[in-house]
Amino acid sequence: MLLTITTTHQPATDLGYLLHKHPERVQTFKLNFGQAHVFYPETSEQRCTIALLLDVDPVHLVRGRDKSFALEQYVNDRPYVASSFLSVALSEVFGTALNGHCNARPELVDTVLPLKAHLVVVPCRGEVETLRSLFEPLGYTVTLEPHVLDEQYPEWGMSPYYSITLEANCRLSNLLSHI
């Protein structure tokens, strides 16, 4: 699971203050279901991107459960798609920013920033317009990118997964709570 958040606010490195994560450090956080890695693939005064990469441990998720169909517990999309695991990770890793706190630069908390969030794989088994209807009323510009089931076999059709990009001028705490 991968979430990136980008801003072009000047200076863009203010994102590090808001999220309480230093741009020159890769950080790893242990979670009940795996690990969360936080890093900055891009940092400059003009543009800054932070990435939250979740490494879900599927074996740990099934330990102690009924083993009626052994492979079913291991063969699923849970480690790869945006789910409640992402919500938990956001709360654990970016909790201070989510709650609108920034001791080092408190004036940044209420600053409206140009923000762009990108979720790589989001499940949508119903109408794709459902994804739009969740975010557009909140003021986001929504871009959806469908994925094919298998590029080697295009006749299999499209998958129920999309990459979603949300763009808006808003407070960072609002963006995090909406995701």
Side-chain angles (χ1 to χ4, degrees):
M1 240 178 283
L2 178 65
L3 165 69
T4 60
I5 299 173
T6 302
T7 188
T8 54
H9 165 78
Q10 303 293 312
T13 51
D14 281 350
L15 190 61
Y17 287 105
L18 282 167
L19 292 167
H20 300 271
K21 305 293 179 261
H22 197 284
E24 294 178 10
R25 259 182 74 200
V26 174
Q27 292 180 279
T28 300
F29 300 85
K30 183 150 180 53
L31 303 168
N32 289 337
F33 49 83
Q35 295 181 329
H37 307 281
V38 176
F39 56 95
Y40 288 80
E42 177 180 27
T43 54
S44 71
E45 296 296 311
Q46 294 74 35
R47 185 176 167 93
C48 186
T49 300
I50 190 166
L52 172 64
L53 176 66
L54 294 186
D55 184 11
V56 176
D57 181 357
V59 174
H60 178 75
L61 292 177
V62 299
R63 281 197 183 121
R65 299 220 176 147
D66 178 30
K67 307 268 191 296
S68 57
F69 176 56
L71 282 181
E72 179 182 40
Q73 297 177 12
Y74 297 98
V75 182
N76 59 57
D77 63 1
R78 292 183 74 196
Y80 312 106
V81 301
S83 66
S84 59
F85 294 135
L86 179 61
S87 298
V88 170
L90 284 172
S91 177
E92 294 285 323
V93 176
F94 298 141
T96 307
L98 183 63
N99 292 321
H101 297 291
C102 181
N103 293 337
R105 305 271 308 276
E107 73 280 2
L108 288 176
V109 171
D110 292 319
T111 303
V112 173
L113 305 170
L115 295 170
K116 180 179 183 178
H118 183 72
L119 286 157
V120 176
V121 181
V122 177
C124 182
R125 289 173 175 78
E127 292 290 321
V128 70
E129 290 307 312
T130 302
L131 291 173
R132 289 188 193 288
S133 70
L134 291 172
F135 297 104
E136 285 179 346
L138 299 171
Y140 294 97
T141 300
V142 178
T143 306
L144 299 170
E145 178 187 339
H147 297 284
V148 295
L149 277 174
D150 191 320
E151 291 181 7
Q152 291 183 345
Y153 302 98
E155 65 273 10
W156 288 1
M158 302 306 289
S159 77
Y161 304 104
Y162 292 82
S163 290
I164 184 169
T165 302
L166 307 172
E167 293 184 72
N169 292 325
C170 63
R171 295 177 16 187
L172 178 63
S173 60
N174 290 349
L175 174 70
L176 292 173
S177 67
H178 293 154
I179 293 174

